[in-house]
Amino acid sequence: MPGKSVLITGTSTGIGRAAAEMLAAKGYRVLATMRTPEKGRDLAENAKANGWDLTVVPLDVRDGASVRGALDQAGDIDVLVNNAGFEVWGPLEEMTVDDVKDQFETNVYGPFRLITAVLPRMRQRGSGVIVNVSSVAGRVSALLNGLYSASKFALEALSETIHYEVGHFGVRCHIVEPGGVATPFPDNRRLVGAAAGDEGSPYRELITQWEAAADRLTGGARAQPEDVAAAILDAIETGDKLRYPVGQDANLVFTARKAMDDAQFESAMRQQLGLAW
Ligand SMILES: NC(=O)c1ccc[n+]([C@@H]2O[C@H](COP(=O)([O-])OP(=O)(O)OC[C@H]3O[C@@H](n4cnc5c(N)ncnc54)[C@H](OP(=O)(O)O)[C@@H]3O)[C@@H](O)[C@H]2O)c1
């Protein structure tokens, strides 16, 4: 699809940045969107030095006017990559409805705003691709990530429905599901309750145990953002399946989940993680 235009959200760092660079290097016209365009100066300079067709465009996925402004500037879009996201992290009991809204505003309403904005034109044209960056947490929930997981489950549900509804019109939708990826993502989490250091919380011990356990699934090895960018490229260009898991941990979890019932899976994961909670 080189020469086609692709709009990517959240390209200031991590997976979005790697995808913007990989697709631009492949010859796509890249609209590299980010909510703070100053963070994209080096990306724009790199694009210029390499002769890439890449423009940094301001876009905050939480703001409808910002989405409309970016799409007006972008013109016709062949491919939309919903990548921007973050995590509200902590025990569910210590969350509020405002925390739920905050999590969903970026991870669910954001992609929804973009999808509904680009779909009419894609449908009329009879072509287009939407790639939604979900997570292993979009199919399997875990301790402490209830809101994040709920937001990615919701994104997966929207994606499946879109896949069923608009394939008829020649528009494809794909879901990319990374496990742990080496990006600034963990540093950008918003921590709540015990996770934010609330000493009086009954969940303090869980935070300690989880932090010790988290790397046991991967042996500390995380996928690189370029691995996820390659899966995004594959989804755009091959598009032969709905879901694209990325990383050893994601594949291990999905394989185990498929092979086991609920109790077997819980027991296997507790054992793997060494959790005594
Ligand atoms: N890293 C992982 O382990 C992992 C695993 C599975 C799935 N994912 C998913 O992969 C996607 C990218 O994450 P990442 O790992 O690359 O993390 P990251 O480095 O923290 O990147 C997140 C990106 O989203 C942007 N963003 C956040 N809120 C936004 C908003 N309101 N409007 C526009 N952009 C916004 C950030 O921009 P700012 O710089 O302005 O904050 C940043 O560009 C996310 O959807 C995440 O859920 C990550």
Side-chain angles (χ1 to χ4, degrees), residues 181-237:
V181 187
T183 71
F185 184 79
D187 305 328
N188 294 331
R189 292 183 302 188
R190 186 166 70 72
L191 308 178
V192 175
D198 176 1
E199 290 297 337
S201 167
Y203 295 94
R204 282 299 303 157
E205 167 62 17
L206 172 58
I207 304 289
T208 310
Q209 279 197 30
W210 185 260
E211 281 175 345
D215 276 349
R216 283 195 200 121
L217 205 56
T218 56
R222 290 175 176 265
Q224 293 304 310
E226 291 73 22
D227 299 327
V228 188
I232 292 170
L233 179 67
D234 191 19
I236 295 168
E237 298 204 333

Side-chain angles (χ1 to χ4, degrees), residues 12-85:
S12 64
T13 56
I15 294 166
R17 170 65 64 103
E21 292 181 340
M22 190 174 287
L23 291 169
K26 287 272 175 193
Y28 286 79
R29 180 173 81 90
V30 174
L31 290 312
T33 76
M34 58 187 79
R35 57 181 168 174
T36 312
E38 296 72 40
K39 291 187 181 177
R41 277 202 199 107
D42 58 331
L43 176 61
E45 280 162 19
N46 193 21
K48 200 173 170 192
N50 283 289
W52 296 338
D53 186 351
L54 181 150
T55 311
V56 173
V57 177
L59 196 171
D60 182 341
V61 302
R62 299 168 73 99
D63 177 352
S66 171
V67 170
R68 283 189 296 278
L71 289 171
D72 285 349
Q73 189 180 335
D76 232 11
I77 296 298
D78 298 297
V79 182
L80 165 66
V81 181
N82 280 309
N83 164 76

Side-chain angles (χ1 to χ4, degrees), residues 122-256:
M122 288 182 174
R123 178 176 45 72
Q124 285 157 8
R125 202 176 52 212
S127 69
V129 184
I130 296 167
V131 179
N132 293 326
V133 180
S134 174
S135 166
V136 68
R139 281 203 276 158
V140 178
S141 192
L143 301 100
L144 300 168
N145 79 343
L147 291 196
Y148 177 71
S149 207
S151 75
K152 293 297 190 184
F153 268 63
L155 182 61
E156 298 245 352
L158 296 181
S159 307
E160 276 194 22
T161 293
I162 291 156
H163 165 72
Y164 297 138
E165 288 181 350
V166 303
H168 173 79
F169 298 114
V171 181
R172 290 189 276 120
C173 181
H174 304 283
I175 311 166
V176 171
E177 298 168 319
V181 187
T183 71
F185 184 79
D187 305 328
N188 294 331
R189 292 183 302 188
R190 186 166 70 72
L191 308 178
V192 175
D198 176 1
E199 290 297 337
S201 167
Y203 295 94
R204 282 299 303 157
E205 167 62 17
L206 172 58
I207 304 289
T208 310
Q209 279 197 30
W210 185 260
E211 281 175 345
D215 276 349
R216 283 195 200 121
L217 205 56
T218 56
R222 290 175 176 265
Q224 293 304 310
E226 291 73 22
D227 299 327
V228 188
I232 292 170
L233 179 67
D234 191 19
I236 295 168
E237 298 204 333
T238 315
D240 55 349
K241 50 189 184 180
L242 175 60
R243 290 188 162 86
Y244 291 75
V246 184
Q248 195 185 315
D249 51 347
N251 283 306
L252 184 121
V253 169
F254 290 148
T255 304

